[in-house]
Amino acid sequence: MRKANQKAQARKGLALLLSVIMVITAAIAFVPAAAAQGSVTVVVGPSLVFEEVRLSAHSPDEKTVAIVKTGGVYELRDIKTGSFVASLAGYSDFYFFYESYCMVGNNNKWGAIDTDGTLVVPLEYDSISPHFMNGRAMVGKGNKYGMIDTTGAIRIPIEYDTVHFMWEGMALVEKDWKIGFYNESDVLIVPCEYDAASYFQGGFAWVAKDNKCGFVNESGVLVVPLEYDGVEPFAEGFAPVKKGDKWGFVNTNGAVVVPIEYDDVRPFWDGLAMVKKGGKYGFVSTSGAVVVPIEYDDAGDFCEGLAWVRKGDNCGFVDTSGAVVVPIEYDNYYGYFSEGLAAVGKNGRYGFVNTSGAVAVPLEYFYVSNFNEGLAQVRDDNADFGLINGDGTVLVPPAYDSIHYFDDNGLSVVSKDGERGLINRSGAVVIPLGEYRDIGYFTQGVAQVYDSDDFLYGLVNTAGVLILPMEYPSIDYAGTVENNAYFWIVKDDKWGIISVAVQPPVPPNLGCVSGGEALSVTDARMVLQQLVGKIELTPDQLDLADVDGDRQVTITDARLILQMLVEKITEFPRK
């Protein structure tokens, strides 16, 4: 009996937890997300000590060192603490660290160092590429070029007029105006005999000789003979080819699969390719069969199983069988479906249709964009932008001159009359218009802002709080360790490092508040954060009948949920 009572209490608590979840779900659309507050710590200081700093131009989170100048001498320093790593006194020229290596120079000779400052490529080259890519770098002596690896070993002889980075494991080289290819095993698999060539794409590269084109594969075999007047890259295993003024398609064996009889073609997409003949458009399959009649005045590629078509002045959409799904009655189109909706227009007004052809958002806007992550921009007659969701609900009324895409933090920079601000996905204002002259992109929960003619920058967090005053001509992100994001800053021509620590919100102390006090959305979130991942439930363990419909959640309820789920429900499986 006691165990049965415990289970009944558990179901009651779980039902209350569902109430909390529903409260939060409903509230998220209207209340800004609880933003973590940031604190700033000066790691090197309080005075700024470095005369010059050169950070990586690529992926700071992957880097460990920075090149700095102090006391007139270059050094390697830890990119996040500023501690000494190695002297660079023997070098006068530097590129940037990339793939854990940096190209260095002195007296017009170039080599490379690693992150310990060790010289791994001797200073013997007249030229060198700015960085290694996939472990290779191009080097030159005199007017000849080759390729080395990160140990300094020569992988492609220094005897070519031009050498390009490897693409899909193949490097294009040129000698005496002829082109060939090396593979990753440093074998010249395509001799320098072609007049022109492309990079490899999908395992093939087109080549040309004596004004005729074909394709070679990664083994250097000419799989499509040099007999075409024009070609385009392979897509989905088929390549457009041209003879005279007609187009068709070949497969990877060089066999013609779509007759060379069309005035124009576009590459295959989702198994279908647009073709043009006699001024009309349609679609063919990979076998060459016409699946969408060649009867339209224009057409676009398939996306989400539908493609737009035009007859005369009217547009609609057809499916992959050629059936008209969206009636050909609209004046305008935007080319493709996105997230199950496509923008259409009629009589100067725009809205959206779904994949069944039904109008999902009324045609009442002056302009609309395609949907992206559940949102689309709309524009009213005053040329102001707003946001709607997939059912047409206005989330942000048209009020802005522009709205950027939302970032991973759910934030977007908006502008009006030359002023910028920040909103979240529910349309709530995070930073009012005009508070800062410009707002940058968020990195690790912070973004640069400035508000002066002197272009002095500071940092704000995702709640819009200024956590670093606008006093610095430059702020450069240097990477993150655990919850600390590091930035190099400059002031009065001196550089130093700051650490921005983003602290998680402190869970509410439920024992310190009165039992009847209403639980805020933020506190409810904290309750859920404490519970997520602690328990696994099966559908039969959730009794929705215990929910009385009241969505008011009190501190007493939350405390009960915590107590029962964290301490009492031992019979349910734990993660």
Side-chain angles (χ1 to χ4, degrees):
M1 172 68 80
R2 184 175 182 181
K3 195 167 186 178
N5 287 338
Q6 286 179 340
K7 287 184 178 180
Q9 284 183 327
R11 286 195 296 270
K12 180 69 174 178
L14 290 170
L16 288 170
L17 176 60
L18 291 176
S19 295
V20 176
I21 293 173
M22 286 184 280
V23 169
I24 293 173
T25 301
I28 284 175
F30 304 100
V31 180
Q37 300 298 307
S39 60
V40 175
T41 302
V42 177
V43 178
V44 176
S47 62
L48 304 171
V49 298
F50 298 113
E51 301 155 20
E52 182 183 342
V53 174
R54 301 189 184 192
L55 301 175
S56 168
H58 306 276
S59 304
D61 276 329
E62 301 174 1
K63 305 300 171 280
T64 59
V65 292
I67 298 170
V68 306
K69 189 177 184 181
T70 178
V73 178
Y74 287 103
E75 298 175 341
L76 278 187
R77 295 273 181 153
D78 184 279
I79 201 168
K80 299 176 181 68
T81 67
S83 58
F84 178 84
V85 175
S87 172
L88 300 177
Y91 312 112
S92 58
D93 298 294
F94 308 91
Y95 281 104
F96 296 95
F97 271 91
Y98 184 78
E99 291 192 349
S100 299
Y101 299 93
C102 178
M103 307 311 189
V104 294
N106 196 35
N107 296 324
N108 296 317
K109 295 295 182 181
W110 290 89
I113 60 172
D114 63 15
T115 53
D116 294 327
T118 302
L119 188 68
V120 294
V121 176
L123 299 175
E124 63 181 51
Y125 296 104
D126 298 324
S127 62
I128 196 167
S129 56
H131 56 79
F132 285 97
M133 180 176 287
N134 299 322
R136 305 291 181 90
M138 294 170 288
V139 292
K141 287 186 175 182
N143 60 356
K144 296 298 180 182
Y145 302 89
M147 190 171 286
I148 61 171
D149 63 20
T150 56
T151 69
I154 295 175
R155 306 302 294 265
I156 294 178
I158 305 173
E159 61 184 46
Y160 293 96
D161 301 325
T162 304
V163 176
H164 293 261
F165 270 125
M166 285 199 164
W167 192 262
E168 292 193 2
M170 306 291 288
L172 184 151
V173 296
E174 183 176 349
K175 190 175 188 179
D176 298 329
W177 305 102
K178 297 294 182 180
I179 294 174
F181 288 92
Y182 274 84
N183 64 14
E184 287 183 312
S185 299
D186 312 315
V187 176
L188 184 67
I189 63 164
V190 178
C192 293
E193 62 183 46
Y194 294 104
D195 301 328
S198 70
Y199 292 111
F200 270 78
Q201 181 175 327
F204 299 88
W206 65 257
V207 291
K209 184 189 293 186
D210 299 329
N211 296 317
K212 293 295 182 182
C213 303
F215 286 87
V216 294
N217 64 15
E218 293 172 318
S219 299
V221 177
L222 188 68
V223 292
V224 176
L226 296 169
E227 61 183 50
Y228 297 102
D229 298 312
V231 296
E232 292 183 8
F234 275 92
E236 300 187 1
F238 302 91
V241 294
K242 181 182 182 183
K243 279 190 176 182
D245 59 356
K246 298 298 181 182
W247 288 87
F249 288 86
V250 295
N251 63 19
T252 55
N253 295 320
V256 175
V257 293
V258 175
I260 303 174
E261 62 185 34
Y262 296 102
D263 302 328
D264 195 10
V265 298
R266 282 205 290 265
F268 274 91
W269 185 268
D270 287 345
L272 297 174
M274 187 279 295
V275 295
K276 180 182 180 182
K277 193 174 188 179
K280 299 294 183 180
Y281 294 82
F283 290 84
V284 297
S285 69
T286 56
S287 68
V290 175
V291 294
V292 176
I294 305 174
E295 62 184 35
Y296 297 101
D297 296 318
D298 203 355
D301 292 322
F302 275 89
C303 189
E304 297 187 5
L306 296 167
W308 65 262
V309 293
R310 178 173 62 83
K311 278 189 175 182
D313 295 329
N314 295 323
C315 301
F317 285 81
V318 296
D319 64 18
T320 55
S321 72
V324 175
V325 176
V326 177
I328 302 175
E329 62 183 37
Y330 296 100
D331 302 336
N332 300 90
Y333 56 86
Y334 279 92
Y336 60 90
F337 269 84
S338 175
E339 300 180 8
L341 298 168
V344 293
K346 186 182 288 188
N347 299 324
R349 296 291 167 175
Y350 295 85
F352 292 87
V353 292
N354 61 25
T355 54
S356 298
V359 174
V361 177
L363 280 65
E364 58 186 31
Y365 294 102
F366 180 75
Y367 162 87
V368 296
S369 73
N370 287 300
F371 270 89
N372 181 275
E373 295 185 352
L375 298 176
Q377 295 190 31
V378 295
R379 199 170 186 179
D380 64 11
D381 290 343
N382 295 320
D384 289 329
F385 286 94
L387 293 173
I388 63 171
N389 64 15
D391 62 14
T393 301
V394 177
L395 300 180
V396 178
Y400 300 104
D401 295 335
S402 68
I403 301 177
H404 292 192
Y405 284 113
F406 286 90
D407 62 16
D408 292 339
N409 300 289
L411 300 173
S412 170
V413 174
V414 295
S415 67
K416 179 69 175 178
D417 298 330
E419 296 183 338
R420 290 177 173 247
L422 195 70
I423 64 172
N424 62 22
R425 289 179 66 89
S426 68
V429 174
V430 178
I431 296 178
L433 288 166
E435 186 166 332
Y436 303 107
R437 177 167 294 187
D438 201 3
I439 304 168
Y441 294 105
F442 278 87
T443 300
Q444 298 298 324
V446 295
Q448 295 189 38
V449 293
Y450 79 90
D451 187 31
S452 73
D453 293 333
D454 297 327
F455 293 96
L456 297 177
Y457 294 86
L459 294 175
V460 296
N461 63 17
T462 54
V465 177
L466 187 68
I467 59 175
L468 183 70
M470 292 178 288
E471 301 175 353
Y472 304 95
S474 179
I475 302 175
D476 292 299
Y477 174 57
T480 299
V481 175
E482 296 178 347
N483 290 324
N484 295 314
Y486 293 86
F487 295 83
W488 285 79
I489 57 176
V490 62
K491 188 176 183 180
D492 299 328
D493 295 324
K494 295 291 184 181
W495 290 79
I497 310 172
I498 59 169
S499 171
V500 177
V502 180
Q503 303 295 338
V506 179
N509 184 357
L510 300 181
C512 298
V513 293
S514 61
E517 183 175 338
L519 186 67
S520 73
V521 170
T522 299
D523 287 347
R525 260 195 212 97
M526 298 305 99
V527 172
L528 287 179
Q529 287 179 2
Q530 293 178 40
L531 298 178
V532 168
K534 292 184 179 296
I535 191 165
E536 290 179 345
L537 302 173
T538 60
D540 63 317
Q541 292 166 338
L542 300 176
D543 187 356
L544 294 178
D546 287 339
V547 179
D548 61 7
D550 182 13
R551 296 297 181 261
Q552 179 70 36
V553 181
T554 67
I555 291 294
T556 300
D557 297 332
R559 192 187 296 116
L560 176 63
I561 293 168
L562 281 173
Q563 182 180 12
M564 288 194 302
L565 289 181
V566 177
E567 300 175 6
K568 299 292 185 182
I569 312 178
T570 58
E571 67 267 37
F572 290 163
R574 300 292 180 108
K575 286 186 177 179

